[in-house]
Amino acid sequence: PAAAGAGRAPGPPDGGWGWVVVFGAFISIGFAYAFPKGLAIFFKEIQDFFGTSYSEIAWVSSIMLATTYGAGPISSILVNRYGSRPVVMAGGLLCGVGMISAAFCTSILQLYICVGFITGFGLALNLQPSVIIIGKYFLKRRPIANGLAMAGSPVMLCTLAPLNQFLFDNFGWRGSFLILGAILLNCCVAGALFRPIGPGTALVKTQVTEEGKDALKGKITEDGPMDNKTEDEGEKDCFEKVNQYLDFSLFKHRGFLIYLIGNVLMFLGFFAPIVFLAPYAKHTGIDEYSAAFLLSILAIVDMVARPATGIVANSRWVRPRIQYFFSFAIAFNGACHLLCPLASSYTGLIVYSSFFGLAFGMVCAMLFETLMDLVGAARFTSAVGLVTIAECCTILLGPPIGGILIDTFGDYKYMFIKCGAVMVLAGTFLFIMNYYNYRMLAKEEKERKAKEEDPKSVRTENEGKKNWNKDSTQDGPELEPLREKGEGLKKEMNGT
């Protein structure tokens, strides 16, 4: 139902129906992150069925992950246009159609299309809207809500791993894909829980903007020829339409650029250790079931670490400097990978899996919270889309580069060292640059207050109007008609 008071944007309720939204996001985010990992159980039989190599079948998960992240801007545009609820429901439908179609595939190329692209695109429509709507329902408790929602990934991974094995033993990979397609339709139910907040705000702004543009066009027509002005206005309208859905001015935002560079570097070594953990255990002489149990240990620790990290990040000591906490989590993750080659026994690998699950959960719990802390809830939708499209390249290349190192040296330790070094570098970069960003923000705030308190900096009325016009340009294109009208009144006053 439409919110009461359609002309204003209500504040986040920080509870109430928001906890139901968190539950829906828990399901959607859980499927988006855990489903590509859970499919690895079927790869061996599919590889034998189609007679392909391990690298060819591994591209199924890589394409799915890359599509999930690469389709981020499309998902953001759809959320800005239609809202989170219909986008998530459409994504759940796409996931179901993709997996059901994959059950009838007769070649590995068809699997790339059905599982990799169609299902991956459906997961993209589940991931971004679920993260975005949490920022609309929560402000004070947002880190806790994000931590609980992100805990859906390890919970789903723990659930899907034994479920997929049970389905595989009883129905084979084709029957399992049919059942998994039906299970993924539950994302539509999760999306139905995403009740929108203040849907009338954008409509009111659009109507005001259009009325202002019509009035401006009428004035230009009365004043004289409008050939050049119409052309400029057409270009401006085109830019406004693009910027309405994706805010490219974020690339001028210092904090956003720091976050983007650090995360693109981090994802080069983020997923590869999970992919190669079980094969590494088998390489050291550990049996298959014990090797698979290492992933269960990782997922169980991850399950506890995410909400716990959200509680810690929401504390009054950590919340104001959450970027430092995020940097530490990334560096801690990298340190675990650097020490992994020292764990030669099964006990050592259990210890590594436990610390890896803790570090992995810490990073995932704060991954989107830190971005929202930098850009704010209003620009978060565009920020998520722009970040995920940049991250998809390193996500796609990370595991294959690790595989190349293993094939070249015949040892897994170089892959873990590469991933650890990259993540320690990313954490160090984010820590130093966030320190610089905090210092610059404090300096800019101090200068602004000094100008306000200095009597010499008192502005005249005309200067105030000029600065108001300049500031209104940064607020958005909807203020363009008001600014033009203000300049016209100013000219008339000067003439009088």
Side-chain angles (χ1 to χ4, degrees), residues 219-263:
K219 182 173 179 58
I220 292 174
T221 306
E222 294 174 1
D223 289 344
M226 54 177 296
D227 296 337
N228 295 332
K229 295 182 181 179
T230 305
E231 184 178 353
D232 295 339
E233 188 180 311
E235 294 177 359
K236 189 178 297 183
D237 288 345
C238 181
F239 177 77
E240 288 174 2
K241 288 179 180 179
V242 174
N243 204 56
Q244 181 181 0
Y245 300 115
L246 282 179
D247 187 3
F248 290 101
S249 66
L250 283 167
F251 287 108
K252 297 180 181 179
H253 191 290
R254 185 172 57 239
F256 174 78
L257 289 177
I258 293 171
Y259 177 91
L260 181 64
I261 295 171
N263 274 256

Side-chain angles (χ1 to χ4, degrees), residues 254-323:
R254 185 172 57 239
F256 174 78
L257 289 177
I258 293 171
Y259 177 91
L260 181 64
I261 295 171
N263 274 256
V264 168
L265 183 62
M266 177 195 72
F267 274 105
L268 198 59
F270 193 60
F271 286 115
I274 298 179
V275 175
F276 292 106
L277 177 58
Y280 173 62
K282 295 176 185 177
H283 179 73
T284 59
I286 298 171
D287 62 275
E288 294 182 357
Y289 290 100
S290 298
F293 185 64
L294 292 174
L295 289 175
S296 299
I297 294 173
L298 188 151
I300 292 171
V301 176
D302 186 9
M303 191 188 311
V304 178
R306 297 195 189 202
T309 302
I311 294 172
V312 173
N314 197 54
S315 64
R316 59 189 180 92
W317 300 283
V318 179
R319 183 77 182 270
R321 293 294 182 265
I322 194 172
Q323 304 296 333

